[in-house]
Amino acid sequence: MRRPGHPSHRKQAGVAVKGTLAKLSIAVIVLLICTLSLLFSVTSNGSSGSTGPSQINVEELWDSADSGGWRPSSAPRSDWPPPPKETNGYLRVRCNGGLNQQRSAICNAVLAARIMNATLVLPELDANSFWHDDSGFHGIYDVEHFIQSLRYDVRIVESIPEIRKNGKTKKIKAFQIRPPRDAPISWYTNDALEKMKQHGAIYLTPFSHRLAEEIDNPEYQRLRCRVNYHALRFKPLIMKLSESIVNKLRAQGHFMAIHLRFEMDMLSFAGCFDIFNPEEQKILRDYRKKNFAEKKLIYNERRAIGKCPLTPEEVGLILRAMGFDNSTRIYLAAGELFGGERFMNPFRALFPRLENHSSVLYTEELATNTRGLMGSAVDYMVCLLADIFMPTYDGPSNFANNLLGHRLYYGFRTTVRPDRKALAPVFIDREKGRTAGFEEAIRRVMLTTNFGGPHKRVSPESFYTNSWPECFCKTDATNPADKCPPENVMQILNSQLENEVASDLESFNQTSSTSER
């Protein structure tokens, strides 16, 4: 007899155990695969299982984005004394570029004046080569409102006053300086201020991107917001025209505004020529050679990294993939589209309800200023007030860049902001005939974009595109820096200013009394 545990029995038992373990392992693997498949299915289909992975609820987009409890607030939250009675001199600036580049330059000019304790001369708006518009500050903005709104921050005059010296009237001549690009605060408090004290006035020209955007002083950043979103108000005529257009559009329901940046200057700048015929390519190349620095640009490379403006057809395809149908009412803010109707026709076929300021409200003022600053200002206001705004090219300090920031400040109003770099391979595949899953791919890209809610500013995003969190606050914030200022903050500032004026009057009266003795 063999005893239990004999080698032959142990061998059989070992084989049995190994077989059982193998079966268990297979079962575990199958279970793991099933579990992962189930998890993937749940993740893909959403927690409710009712919506697909790339479905966008268009109806929700007509409302403002979720604010997360934040609200706009650019009032000072710490000690902010009024401008001192003694000024270090006068600051003149020439703001070059288009309407919105000039707008950010004006904000920088006010901040520079505050930093240097200077009196700001009403900024000059450049009659640049593209717009050919010499409307000036008075022709576009409400000057009285601008000066009054900023009385707690800087002293502003319309021109450098004449001074009387040795019985003669003399005009101060401003010393001209070309500021470095994105100059730090130290440049203004040292170099610029030194020249101002020497000459009594300085003239900074050109003045676009001449003060660093990222400044580690939230009060300075809030001053920029006070200028941009409160003090810079268009003239009553522009506001009235804009309001009339918005009212007519909204009388028929929701409307979307699109800044269709498919114009000669932008296409030349971007170097995106290959989709045009030889004659058009020559026009673009000549314009680029005349207006921009020499640089080798290869269309395919530019397109692949999202450096080309979206074509009108691509804009239409994005909207249709998102779920907007051909009943959507669209206001187009754009100059003269390059390439003519052959580029607009595919877009119009998808979205026939297209309007611009002339088609909604024809006026002689707009007809003669379509390409001027007034037409741009009206487009700006309509885009600001639209239910949804979509830029097709949001480069630094341009129309869309400023509008995105203004709409964020205006109450987190919905923006549809295409990621051109992520969309480029999708459109390139379509052009090569690979159309399977095209709309699904578009939706997946668009779902990763921000639709206008608060979000962290990450370079190269501009402060003028996203002033959160500096120019926003929360009443129930746990972080003291995010708490809203007291409701009577403007009364406090007004009281400080009145005390300053009273002190000036008292000093003047004392001086007068002394001189009369």
Side-chain angles (χ1 to χ4, degrees), residues 34-78:
C34 292
T35 304
L36 289 173
S37 297
L38 181 61
L39 285 172
F40 178 78
S41 175
V42 171
T43 304
S44 299
N45 291 293
S47 57
S48 64
S50 59
T51 58
S54 57
Q55 286 185 344
I56 297 173
N57 190 328
V58 168
E59 289 305 312
E60 289 182 358
L61 293 181
W62 292 113
D63 297 323
S64 294
D66 183 9
S67 69
W70 292 89
R71 63 181 177 86
S73 173
S74 57
R77 297 177 206 175
S78 58

Side-chain angles (χ1 to χ4, degrees), residues 80-92:
W80 189 256
K85 55 186 177 183
E86 292 296 329
T87 178
N88 285 323
Y90 294 91
L91 173 64
R92 280 182 63 197

Side-chain angles (χ1 to χ4, degrees), residues 340-389:
E341 283 299 304
R342 77 176 189 279
F343 284 97
M344 273 303 297
N345 287 337
F347 184 34
R348 191 175 282 109
L350 292 168
F351 293 96
R353 301 185 70 189
L354 300 180
E355 303 277 7
N356 59 28
H357 55 234
S358 297
S359 66
V360 179
L361 183 73
Y362 181 86
T363 68
E364 192 171 333
E365 293 93 347
L366 283 176
T368 56
N369 287 277
T370 298
R371 290 187 70 248
L373 292 175
M374 176 181 279
S376 185
V378 169
D379 278 347
Y380 184 97
M381 286 306 302
V382 176
C383 289
L384 174 63
L385 299 172
D387 299 297
I388 297 173
F389 172 63

Side-chain angles (χ1 to χ4, degrees), residues 453-482:
H455 60 282
K456 186 178 180 181
R457 186 169 66 251
V458 178
S459 181
E461 188 174 39
S462 163
F463 175 79
Y464 292 105
T465 299
N466 179 12
S467 60
W468 183 87
E470 294 95 331
C471 296
F472 295 82
C473 69
K474 293 179 80 172
T475 51
D476 58 348
T478 53
N479 184 354
D482 297 333

Side-chain angles (χ1 to χ4, degrees), residues 90-131:
Y90 294 91
L91 173 64
R92 280 182 63 197
V93 299
R94 181 175 66 85
C95 306
N96 55 306
L99 176 72
N100 296 283
Q101 192 167 319
Q102 292 173 0
R103 192 179 183 99
S104 57
I106 293 167
C107 299
N108 288 343
V110 171
L111 178 54
R114 173 78 188 196
I115 290 167
M116 294 190 291
N117 181 27
T119 298
L120 178 66
V121 181
L122 202 65
E124 301 167 23
L125 306 187
D126 180 30
N128 63 77
S129 57
F130 183 75
W131 289 106

Side-chain angles (χ1 to χ4, degrees), residues 54 321 422-423 426 436-447:
S54 57
L423 288 167
V426 181
F438 170 75
E439 290 199 345
E440 177 79 5
I442 293 287
R443 286 192 291 271
R444 286 186 184 279
V445 171
M446 295 308 298
L447 272 171

Side-chain angles (χ1 to χ4, degrees), residues 250-461:
R250 191 153 284 142
Q252 299 184 44
H254 295 301
F255 78 96
M256 174 192 299
I258 296 178
H259 185 224
L260 198 54
R261 199 70 167 95
F262 201 71
E263 298 144 329
M264 180 171 64
D265 64 321
M266 181 51 67
L267 290 163
S268 296
F269 171 77
C272 301
F273 306 149
D274 289 27
I275 58 174
F276 299 98
N277 63 40
E279 184 182 346
E280 291 166 340
Q281 288 187 31
K282 184 179 184 305
I283 294 171
L284 291 173
R285 286 196 170 89
D286 288 347
Y287 187 92
R288 177 171 179 82
K289 188 174 181 180
K290 182 180 177 182
N291 294 280
F292 303 111
E294 187 73 25
K295 188 177 181 181
K296 186 178 180 181
L297 300 174
I298 301 172
Y299 171 74
N300 290 339
E301 294 178 0
R302 303 285 289 172
R303 177 85 189 284
I305 59 173
K307 293 296 183 181
C308 289
L310 295 170
T311 68
E313 182 182 23
E314 288 171 345
V315 174
L317 291 171
I318 291 169
L319 293 176
R320 287 302 287 267
M322 290 178 67
F324 292 98
D325 60 32
N326 61 4
S327 68
T328 306
R329 194 168 179 81
I330 296 176
Y331 178 89
L332 287 181
E336 184 178 350
L337 266 64
F338 192 76
E341 283 299 304
R342 77 176 189 279
F343 284 97
M344 273 303 297
N345 287 337
F347 184 34
R348 191 175 282 109
L350 292 168
F351 293 96
R353 301 185 70 189
L354 300 180
E355 303 277 7
N356 59 28
H357 55 234
S358 297
S359 66
V360 179
L361 183 73
Y362 181 86
T363 68
E364 192 171 333
E365 293 93 347
L366 283 176
T368 56
N369 287 277
T370 298
R371 290 187 70 248
L373 292 175
M374 176 181 279
S376 185
V378 169
D379 278 347
Y380 184 97
M381 286 306 302
V382 176
C383 289
L384 174 63
L385 299 172
D387 299 297
I388 297 173
F389 172 63
M390 179 182 183
T392 61
Y393 196 92
D394 47 332
S397 286
N398 70 6
F399 188 92
N401 182 59
N402 283 274
L403 262 168
L404 289 166
H406 205 156
R407 285 178 64 86
L408 194 77
Y409 189 86
Y410 199 69
F412 303 102
R413 301 176 80 84
T414 299
T415 57
V416 175
R417 195 175 175 185
D419 183 341
R420 294 189 308 279
K421 186 175 181 179
L423 288 167
V426 181
F427 284 117
I428 291 170
D429 278 349
R430 179 177 178 270
E431 289 164 11
K432 292 178 179 178
R434 296 191 288 267
T435 57
F438 170 75
E439 290 199 345
E440 177 79 5
I442 293 287
R443 286 192 291 271
R444 286 186 184 279
V445 171
M446 295 308 298
L447 272 171
T448 65
T449 63
N450 181 283
F451 288 117
H455 60 282
K456 186 178 180 181
R457 186 169 66 251
V458 178
S459 181
E461 188 174 39

Side-chain angles (χ1 to χ4, degrees), residues 90 92 121 157-162 171-174 201-202:
Y90 294 91
R92 280 182 63 197
V121 181
V157 295
E158 294 201 35
S159 61
I160 298 177
E162 295 179 335
K171 189 170 184 178
I172 301 173
K173 187 176 181 181
I202 57 173

